[in-house]
Amino acid sequence: MKTKTFLGIHDFTKRYIDWVIRLGRVKFSLLGVVLLALFALVVQILLSLIFIGQVHLPDILRSICFGLCSAPFVVYFFTLLVERLERSRLRLAALVDNLRHEISDRITAQKRLSEALSTLAQNHREKSALMATISHELRTPLNGIIGLSSILLDDQLTESQRNYLQTINMSAVALGHIFSDIIDLEKIDANRIELHYKETDVPRFIHDIANFATLMTQQRKLSFTLNYPTKFPHWLMLDSARLSQVLWNLINNAVKFTPEGGITLDFEIRGKNEYAFIIKDTGIGIPKNDLAHIFDMYYQVQSSGYKPAGSGIGLAVSKTIANLMGGDLSAQSELGKGSTFTVTFQAEKAEKPLKGIEKLPATLRILLVEDIEVNIIVAKAVLEKLGYCVDVAMTGRDAITMFEQNDYDLLLLDIQLPDISGFEVAQHLRENYENGVYDYLPPMIALTANVMQSKAEYRRKGMDDVLRKPLEVEDLLACLLYYFDDEFNASMACEKYPCLQGKEEKDEDKEKFAHLTTRFDIARLQELIEILGRPFVEKNLQLFFETMPEYLAELDSAYQAYQQDPSAMSQVGNVAHKIKGAAASVGLKRLQELMQQGQNIENSEWPSQIANWIKELHSCWQEEVRELQAWLRTL
């Protein structure tokens, strides 16, 4: 009720004020004077009649005169006040209306901002999903290209084919690193970049980086030098993929901006758990005004005289990764005198990782088909060290006979045998099994130094799988786990194969790494020493030394036959293949690579170079053996 009364009064007041304003200040004043005069006259007459009983004309006239004199001022100022109040009300109403519109606009803007943020978040999720999908879809074929090209590089190739494959391999590696930079850029924006530490074989890691740097510098006709201390941990806890990505960026930039001279890679120990890689080049250098900005995202040096190349994200991503590793990435440079980039990182020492020991098969009987005595001794010793029973056949026909007389869980078949090939043995056994002659056919694994493009090629020829020669322990274990992962005895395997349990590595290397790896397969030798012991390796090397004259005599005889009949060149290739396999088994890398060329009879340079290769083999093999024997004695 009170609310309705208030609204009625408010409505009446508003209408009254509107009427006053419409009438105008002057008209309302005149009207007010008349009304006030009449009102004063009526009041005066009534009061006179009430109090004195009569009306005095002079008093009425005086009242009228007083009213006429004072009323205009009162009415005018009242009208002015009303008018100003109304204008204030209108301005206030306009202000309230504007404020209402502004609030409405802000609410609308806030809703739009909320929708935009929601859309942005959704786009970011979709972007992350897309990047994850691209990462999976692209890395799979890239890994295939890198892996297969690496395998093919060990095969018989012409010089031009080898150059093409090296370019394909290096391009695939480069593309993988560039793609990693793009993925990391998205993760940096989202603050989601992470490191995945694992036990890393430092000498092998350095060797891989050096191989990559050598390929890149060779294409630009630059020199490459690797330096590292004589004492450093063999195993470190590292994200090797990330560190490799950083070093690839730095080496790639160094090669890109070095027209002549060379690149140097130094590995240093800076302190407890602190290490550094230093990349120096003799290139064009970086101007001082650009040096402070080279780690900025998307920054490209403009004043070096070279056209900017790349995306400008590699160094920024590399610095971020170095910071995450507890280190940093810094640069020093002088225009025209080259640049030096230093990446530091933190890493703790680690032990050799445990690899599938809990799933190793406990007992197996294996038939090893191999005709090279040195290879037989190494492969048999490794298998027996695992606790397996190993029979040996040196010809294909002996292998078939032994298979029919005994029960075997696994067949390891060399491809090149004196009588028939390993493929023919596999096809014979498989046909008899399919025809019901044999009740059981175990897995047949090919052993070869010349791996085809894919395992499907070997399966089409009767094999189940393939292992490269010389036989790598990790590859052998992976094969055993794949075919026999449902039968194992962890305690027996650990006892018989202690190298898989992990142990503390020595900090000392008795010889320079770069000097050794060009001549000997250090990684394989260390693996054999861990598994079989140094005396076994020395004994096997002595056997190679005693057998080598027979191999050389056979090679010379085959070469003489080739000189009389060029169609007999395959005999030379077969003997070279045999020597290559024997050299690889004992870690004589230089001899292995020399005979790799000798067995590649399809190489256009083979007819003109085979005599030189045989001559070089005669002149250096004894020295290589003595050098390796001397190195083994220092361990």
Side-chain angles (χ1 to χ4, degrees), residues 124 127 182-193 297-298:
H124 182 74
K127 175 186 173 184
I182 297 173
I183 294 294
D184 287 343
L185 178 62
E186 187 270 336
K187 290 183 177 180
I188 290 172
D189 290 339
N191 295 320
R192 291 190 300 104
I193 189 169
M297 193 68 72
Y298 307 116

Side-chain angles (χ1 to χ4, degrees), residues 38 123 126 129 197 230 248 273 283 441 486 504 521 563 566 594:
L38 292 175
N123 290 340
E126 292 177 355
Y197 290 96
T230 57
W248 179 88
N273 296 335
L441 186 65
D486 57 344
E504 185 177 355
D521 190 347
Q563 288 181 312
L594 186 62

